[in-house]
Amino acid sequence: MWFTRRIEHCQVCGTPVEQKVPEGDNRDRAVCPGCGHVHYVNPLNVVGTLPVWEDQVLLCRRNIEPRKGFWTLPAGFMELGETTEEGAGRETDEEAGARIEMQGLYCVLNVVSAGQVHFFYRARLLDTEFAPGPETIEARLFREDEIPWDELAFRTVRMTLQRYFEERQTGQFGVYCADIR
Ligand code: ZN
């Protein structure tokens, strides 16, 4: 889980909120007893890529919590004003300084417990010169037999890599949808 979001105080007036079902609604919300504001918390999109160079994939070693020191595919929270694919490309640039050509949507993973949806795109690396940003300790290429499976940061990264290495044997890549509860 990258983080949890629980509203404690009203974002309008600062009053401590109450958890209750607003009239006409069907689930608990953070409702302000002061000004009546209802806070809606909805899932966040995490967008990233699976960058490939010949028989190797690019992983980044995280320089930030959570899971600092563990390996991940370049990914992060989608920003306003961008598409999922644009966000995935931006994160790849920010975290790895890698130049890529997008090859299409690959994984849509519902991380229900964290309130997130993770989107990974397959991407072809245009060269092997990387320039990791401050959120990354190291960016490097791994062959399948070198993947640090026990040091991967997130389950969605593991699922995406496992799927990729399975499908690579056939040369056919579909779109993989799965749920983590
Ligand atoms: Zn309020």
Side-chain angles (χ1 to χ4, degrees):
M1 197 176 299
W2 292 29
F3 69 16
T4 56
R5 293 174 297 153
R6 183 178 169 83
I7 306 240
E8 303 285 353
H9 294 87
C10 177
Q11 291 173 350
V12 176
C13 73
T15 304
V17 298
E18 296 171 354
Q19 296 293 329
K20 66 177 191 182
V21 181
E23 198 172 325
D25 204 337
N26 57 12
R27 63 179 69 208
D28 271 356
R29 311 282 185 190
V31 179
C32 178
C35 72
H37 186 72
V38 181
H39 303 76
Y40 296 93
V41 180
N42 299 103
L44 291 173
N45 294 334
V46 171
V47 290
T49 60
L50 168 52
V52 175
W53 176 264
E54 296 172 351
D55 66 340
Q56 301 170 92
V57 299
L58 177 66
L59 296 179
C60 298
R61 198 164 162 232
R62 289 173 63 80
N63 195 31
I64 51 170
E65 297 294 347
R67 308 292 278 164
K68 184 173 178 177
F70 286 76
W71 293 89
T72 184
L73 292 165
F77 290 110
M78 186 179 179
E79 298 285 1
L80 294 175
E82 67 185 11
T83 66
T84 49
E85 184 171 314
E86 287 166 353
R90 176 184 51 74
E91 289 289 345
T92 305
D93 180 44
E94 287 176 5
E95 297 192 355
R99 300 196 312 127
I100 56 169
E101 174 186 272
M102 286 290 187
Q103 295 187 299
L105 180 63
Y106 190 49
C107 290
V108 179
L109 303 169
N110 286 292
V111 191
V112 179
S113 56
Q116 298 175 359
V117 185
H118 293 200
F119 297 82
F120 287 98
Y121 286 78
R122 283 193 303 120
R124 187 174 72 85
L125 284 161
L126 299 178
D127 57 57
T128 57
E129 309 244 316
F130 310 126
E135 296 183 4
T136 301
I137 296 168
E138 180 187 2
R140 59 158 280 205
L141 294 166
F142 291 85
R143 289 196 315 270
E144 181 177 3
D145 61 6
E146 298 173 327
I147 298 284
W149 294 104
D150 295 334
E151 295 167 47
L152 294 179
F154 304 107
R155 192 165 158 196
T156 56
V157 170
R158 165 184 292 271
M159 292 168 76
T160 300
L161 288 171
Q162 283 174 335
R163 181 75 168 201
Y164 175 74
F165 290 123
E166 273 173 38
E167 290 199 329
R168 192 174 68 174
Q169 295 176 20
T170 69
Q172 300 276 345
F173 298 100
V175 176
Y176 175 41
C177 301
D179 305 330
I180 299 171
R181 290 183 184 279

